[in-house]
Amino acid sequence: MSVVTAPHTTAPDVLRRQDPEMAEVILGEARRQADSLQLIAAENFTSPAVLAALGSPLANKYAEGYPGARHHGGCELVDAAERIAVARAKALFGAEHANVQPHSGSSAVLATYAALLRPGDTVLAMGLAYGGHLTHGAPVNFSGRWFDFVGYGVDAESGIIDYAQVHQLARTHRPKAIVCGSISYPRHIDYATFREIADDVGAYLIADAAHPIGLVAGGAAPNPVPYADVVCATTHKVLRGPRGGMILCGEEYADRVDRAVFPFTQGGAQMHTIAAKGVAFGEASAPAFTAYAHRVVANARALAEALATEGLLITTGGTDTHLITADPSPLGVDGRAARGRLAAAGVVLDTCALPHADGRGLRLGTAAVTTQGMGEAEMRRIAALFAAALGEDVAKTRGIRGEVRSLTGRFPPYGTLS
């Protein structure tokens, strides 16, 4: 079982006394997480130890710079915390260098671009319509404003990345960098093929592994570190750490990456978050996490199969990861309407682009429900609740909501809430 228990999910007595209004919001969110199905692919439940580090006195410390070279005094102990986190990240992913200061996955990507590129450079990345992230060239994002992005896609029938197209586009546009990674691609990425394409055109290879990095830590997904020049990632999602980012690279790029994080794109490091990242890296190095990562994938495959049986169209025909993308239109509802109906029933997930199709699909993941201890039997039950919520009138949603509460009540993420 992967259930975590923690008193931190209830508002501390001191907060209740001093600010009952905010305490009630925090307690309400804890209840929301506990009595609904958390299927957002980018979310998870951290451990009590991670929460303890986040709420520690390290939150008080200003620590611009890096261990041994800070711009403020009194950093001896936070230096030790960062060195521990860096050493654990390097060991966990087999990287020569790790920077654990990025505040988010987007911050990690921004710093990576700053380290390797200059404004106006051409970058090849997955097109937004196929699952690319905002930082992969969205016009409203810094990436789309500062760089010339070219998008690659997926095969119209299989939904798998069209590597021949990637290679052709690379030879045509001669990008300075190629980005491999997606927010809604449920299959493993062939990093070796991307490396060959990048070498053929003399491009940097950047792996945006925000989603699969936790599976990599647990040996349930291929590791991009041996192939990519730089790997960007988040520390939440399947990795089950605090919300934040990190960058992994070889020694060749270490100084450039570090200078791009600080002082170019960020100021003071969030030392409580860095300590929490270190705790999560330590947890992810244990055999129990390896078992957890493989259960996440097994649950995702079971859920995908069950959803297909209920009539949803599963893109790529299944999943290799924690992530599933599905088209609910065979049930007579589009993605946005489906998300609303499911939310009313207590099933929380996202919409996503559907390659080569009109309308929006559904994106969901199994990391959080697996942390709660749910297994393949529960995945089949979730699929049945899905179909009921999408097929019923809104007036009948209340009964489904009760069934969701009954299910989640058997798997409380943090014990009893009060």
Side-chain angles (χ1 to χ4, degrees), residues 17-30:
R17 291 194 301 270
Q18 182 171 323
D19 194 336
E21 183 179 19
M22 188 60 72
E24 184 56 34
V25 171
I26 294 172
L27 182 56
E29 173 60 14

Side-chain angles (χ1 to χ4, degrees), residues 106-340:
S106 294
S107 297
V109 175
L110 169 59
T112 297
Y113 291 170
L116 303 179
L117 307 174
R118 294 294 179 268
D121 282 345
T122 298
V123 183
L124 180 60
M126 179 171 275
L128 302 182
Y130 302 100
H133 187 249
L134 286 172
T135 56
H136 301 170
V140 296
N141 185 260
F142 73 86
S143 58
R145 293 189 180 189
W146 292 352
F147 306 104
D148 179 17
F149 270 82
V150 177
Y152 59 82
V154 298
D155 179 79
E157 291 189 8
S158 68
I160 303 299
I161 291 174
D162 188 340
Y163 291 97
Q165 182 204 41
V166 176
H167 203 169
Q168 180 182 9
L169 289 171
R171 286 182 167 176
T172 299
H173 296 278
R174 315 299 294 188
K176 186 71 171 294
I178 299 174
V179 179
C180 54
S182 168
I183 60 171
S184 58
Y185 186 67
R187 297 297 185 175
H188 293 321
I189 290 175
D190 187 344
Y191 298 114
T193 295
F194 267 108
R195 178 75 267 170
E196 292 174 1
I197 295 171
D199 287 344
D200 183 50
V201 299
Y204 294 115
L205 181 60
I206 300 169
D208 187 347
H211 270 277
I213 198 68
L215 297 177
V216 173
N223 188 353
V225 169
Y227 301 98
D229 295 300
V230 180
V231 176
C232 312
T234 56
T235 50
H236 42 287
K237 301 185 176 69
V238 182
L239 191 53
R240 213 158 56 180
R243 300 195 65 81
M246 67 175 169
I247 302 173
L248 307 169
C249 65
E251 288 294 346
E252 178 183 1
Y253 302 106
D255 288 343
R256 293 163 69 176
V257 163
D258 286 352
R259 284 186 278 109
V261 174
F262 175 86
F264 190 75
T265 61
Q266 292 186 178
Q270 298 180 355
M271 296 313 305
H272 57 307
T273 304
I274 288 174
K277 292 175 184 179
V279 172
F281 298 149
E283 292 174 346
S285 66
F289 188 88
T290 298
Y292 161 75
H294 284 83
R295 281 198 301 271
V296 167
V297 175
N299 278 345
R301 287 174 170 163
L303 181 55
E305 291 175 3
L307 289 172
T309 299
E310 296 290 351
L312 283 80
L313 179 62
I314 307 301
T315 64
T316 77
T319 181
D320 297 326
T321 66
H322 66 297
L323 190 150
I324 302 163
T325 55
D327 182 357
S329 63
L331 299 181
V333 60
D334 65 19
R336 287 189 174 89
R339 181 179 66 176

